[in-house]
Amino acid sequence: MKILAVVGTNAPFSYNRFLAKFIAKRYGDKADIEVKEIDKLTPFSRTDTADDSIKQWVKDVKSANGIIITVPEYDHAIPAALKSSLEWLGSHAGPNVMKMKPVAVVGTSYGTQGASRAQEDIREILLSPDMSANVLPGNEILFGNAAGNFDKETGELTNDAYVKQLDGVMDNFFNFVKQVTK
């Protein structure tokens, strides 16, 4: 099973990058999980043709059995770079690779709400007619106080309750991907 763990920001430092890498490391025995950065992707423009970075992005997403998006919250929404990267994948842009693609949404933030608004925002985008992704229902990772729950040196998630919650969500996601891709 091939899974992409997308870092939902182009920021040089992100606890959501830590989360994506933690997921890839912890669950690497259950799936081939590649951490995918969006920081080098060309911003979306309906009038532009996809360059090599976008062609590779589309190819990587298309070939994955499932996508995990680690989404930070910027002003109650997803980062512009993440929105732009998703735009290249929708039906209006041509490739329509998100249609029925299994997706899990997770996130962490500095505040107490654990990127809850951004996760709601991205779920709406992924479920829109131009995306039509198959978003894992009923499973949320809302890890608040990111700075206090990750080891800044190793990137490890140090909150045992959060690790246990993540274990459950990832098990559900891997089963979800298996069911969807039968």
Side-chain angles (χ1 to χ4, degrees), residues 46-122:
R46 190 182 291 263
T47 59
D48 290 348
T49 6
D51 65 13
D52 289 342
S53 72
I54 299 305
K55 288 176 185 172
Q56 186 63 49
W57 169 239
V58 170
K59 181 180 174 187
D60 290 345
V61 171
K62 191 174 193 172
S63 67
N65 300 107
I67 310 291
I68 300 165
I69 302 175
T70 62
V71 59
E73 186 168 310
Y74 294 5
D75 299 322
H76 295 188
I78 66 172
L82 179 56
K83 176 72 165 104
S84 179
S85 69
L86 291 172
E87 292 291 340
W88 285 110
L89 305 173
S91 64
H92 58 278
N96 200 23
V97 297
M98 292 304 290
K99 185 173 183 154
M100 298 310 292
K101 180 72 70 177
V103 180
V105 175
V106 299
T108 187
S109 68
Y110 286 97
T112 58
Q113 294 182 337
S116 62
R117 290 181 183 108
Q119 288 188 48
E120 184 177 329
D121 187 30
I122 196 168

Side-chain angles (χ1 to χ4, degrees), residues 10 19-20 36 53-54 62 78 83 94 116 135 143 164 170 175:
N10 59 353
L19 183 56
K36 186 72 175 171
S53 72
I54 299 305
K62 191 174 193 172
I78 66 172
K83 176 72 165 104
S116 62
V135 181
F143 296 164
K164 186 177 179 182
M170 288 298 101
N175 288 329

Side-chain angles (χ1 to χ4, degrees), residues 1-180:
M1 177 182 338
K2 173 75 173 151
I3 303 292
L4 285 185
V6 177
V7 177
T9 181
N10 59 353
F13 177 84
S14 173
Y15 286 106
N16 283 282
R17 180 172 294 106
F18 284 175
L19 183 56
K21 289 180 177 183
F22 181 81
I23 287 169
K25 181 179 172 186
R26 184 164 179 90
Y27 308 106
D29 62 333
K30 297 183 182 205
D32 175 17
I33 305 172
E34 175 188 351
V35 175
K36 186 72 175 171
E37 298 281 352
I38 61 169
D39 61 332
K40 303 285 191 266
L41 296 180
T42 306
F44 177 76
S45 172
R46 190 182 291 263
T47 59
D48 290 348
T49 6
D51 65 13
D52 289 342
S53 72
I54 299 305
K55 288 176 185 172
Q56 186 63 49
W57 169 239
V58 170
K59 181 180 174 187
D60 290 345
V61 171
K62 191 174 193 172
S63 67
N65 300 107
I67 310 291
I68 300 165
I69 302 175
T70 62
V71 59
E73 186 168 310
Y74 294 5
D75 299 322
H76 295 188
I78 66 172
L82 179 56
K83 176 72 165 104
S84 179
S85 69
L86 291 172
E87 292 291 340
W88 285 110
L89 305 173
S91 64
H92 58 278
N96 200 23
V97 297
M98 292 304 290
K99 185 173 183 154
M100 298 310 292
K101 180 72 70 177
V103 180
V105 175
V106 299
T108 187
S109 68
Y110 286 97
T112 58
Q113 294 182 337
S116 62
R117 290 181 183 108
Q119 288 188 48
E120 184 177 329
D121 187 30
I122 196 168
R123 286 173 186 275
E124 287 182 27
I125 293 164
L126 291 167
L127 294 170
S128 72
D130 285 327
M131 289 280 145
S132 296
N134 197 357
V135 181
L136 177 67
N139 288 261
E140 292 184 327
I141 293 295
L142 304 170
F143 296 164
N145 187 25
N149 289 305
F150 285 90
D151 182 311
K152 240 181 163 174
E153 299 298 318
T154 66
E156 293 291 310
L157 181 59
T158 58
N159 182 315
D160 290 336
Y162 283 174
V163 171
K164 186 177 179 182
Q165 183 184 357
L166 186 62
D167 287 346
V169 169
M170 288 298 101
D171 282 344
N172 290 340
F173 182 63
F174 297 134
N175 288 329
F176 181 66
V177 171
K178 286 175 190 170
Q179 289 174 355
V180 170

